[in-house]
Amino acid sequence: MEVKILQDVMRANDQIAQSNRKIFNDRKMFVINLMSSPGSGKTTVLEKTFELIKNEIKFGVIEGDVKTSLDGDRIAKHGVPVVQIHTELFGGACHLDANMVKKAWNLFPANTDIDLLFIENIGNLVCPAGHSLGEDKNVVVLSVTEGEDKPAKYPLIFRLAHVLIINKTDLLPYLDIDVKAIIKNAREINPSIEIIEVSAKTGQGMDKWLDWLKKSAETYK
């Protein structure tokens, strides 16, 4: 019985995700599901992205947190339209699902012009990987402070990712971390994953990330 209930729940989620995808595609909007563990710096990656190319791409954000609007407020300060999801209203879920994204999307004003929509998922390397939201691409942010073993320990999220951003590279001089080991572990899980090393704080390496974003968004215009 439990297996059937889970199958029904996942099937319902996938159906809503397909509906979301059609809505986004009809608007020629590129959508990224941005995932990471807590504290990886994914909101800072977004802020630096907006700081550097906000005038080139019309961004929007669906911001997921269990509680508080701290990250949503940070996004709003950049003049980017954002809708906040609090999963405590959905039982405190550790991930976003397609129905939450659908409800959040409907809260954007009808005339909101967005080329690229980020869905910033709940900080978690396990649960978000199992739920399609209607996105075009999955991007995972991993901080160098998290260690080299995370791709091996949490393989699904890295297997599904199109891009891995290795963040906080400015801290490498102070850590006993081998970035090549992170890359090796990630590519053993997903040989086709694109890997970009950045420091969202200093901006180092952001040019490669921005080039990927601009090229990807262009394909949906």
Side-chain angles (χ1 to χ4, degrees):
M1 178 65 73
E2 290 182 1
V3 172
K4 184 180 187 306
I5 291 173
L6 179 59
Q7 289 174 338
D8 289 344
V9 168
M10 296 307 296
R11 187 179 300 112
N13 181 83
D14 290 345
Q15 289 173 346
I16 298 172
Q18 290 174 10
S19 174
N20 290 345
R21 183 75 174 271
K22 184 178 187 309
I23 292 169
F24 299 149
N25 285 349
D26 287 347
R27 292 181 64 105
K28 298 182 178 179
M29 190 165 60
F30 182 60
V31 182
I32 291 175
N33 181 11
L34 188 65
M35 299 176 285
S36 78
S37 59
S40 68
K42 63 183 181 297
T43 305
T44 306
V45 168
L46 290 183
E47 289 185 290
K48 180 61 74 172
T49 299
F50 303 148
E51 176 187 324
L52 294 172
I53 59 169
K54 186 176 66 175
N55 294 331
E56 299 179 47
I57 296 177
K58 298 181 182 70
F59 291 103
V61 176
I62 292 175
E63 180 65 48
D65 282 297
V66 176
K67 194 174 176 67
T68 83
S69 299
L70 296 173
D71 290 345
D73 292 342
R74 288 169 61 184
I75 298 301
K77 288 179 180 178
H78 293 269
V80 173
V82 56
V83 170
Q84 178 78 55
I85 297 175
H86 292 134
T87 63
E88 68 169 350
L89 301 176
F90 300 88
C94 57
H95 62 274
L96 299 181
D97 64 28
N99 190 48
M100 295 178 199
V101 169
K102 178 181 179 181
K103 291 177 182 296
W105 173 250
N106 288 334
L107 293 176
F108 281 97
N111 61 348
T112 305
D113 190 9
I114 296 174
D115 298 321
L116 197 161
L117 177 68
F118 283 106
I119 303 171
E120 185 174 356
N121 220 310
I122 308 296
N124 191 314
L125 285 178
V126 182
C127 304
H131 294 77
S132 176
L133 308 176
E135 72 278 4
D136 296 296
K137 300 290 183 181
N138 293 311
V139 175
V140 174
V141 179
L142 181 71
S143 166
V144 295
T145 59
E146 296 175 68
E148 300 148 356
D149 59 352
K150 292 305 177 290
K153 293 178 72 172
Y154 305 100
L156 181 59
I157 199 167
F158 293 93
R159 187 175 297 122
L160 296 177
H162 300 88
V163 177
L164 168 60
I165 296 176
I166 300 176
N167 189 30
K168 302 188 182 181
T169 56
D170 55 297
L171 297 180
L172 284 172
Y174 313 102
L175 301 171
D176 184 20
I177 294 293
D178 183 358
V179 172
K180 290 181 181 178
I182 298 175
I183 295 171
K184 177 178 179 292
N185 289 335
R187 291 221 161 106
E188 285 179 352
I189 299 297
N190 181 353
S192 65
I193 194 169
E194 182 156 0
I195 298 176
I196 303 173
E197 300 173 44
V198 310
S199 166
K201 180 179 180 180
T202 68
Q204 182 180 357
M206 287 292 292
D207 52 344
K208 186 176 179 182
W209 163 241
L210 299 179
D211 286 345
W212 182 85
L213 275 184
K214 288 187 280 190
K215 289 176 183 176
S216 299
E218 186 66 29
T219 63
Y220 284 77
K221 288 185 179 179

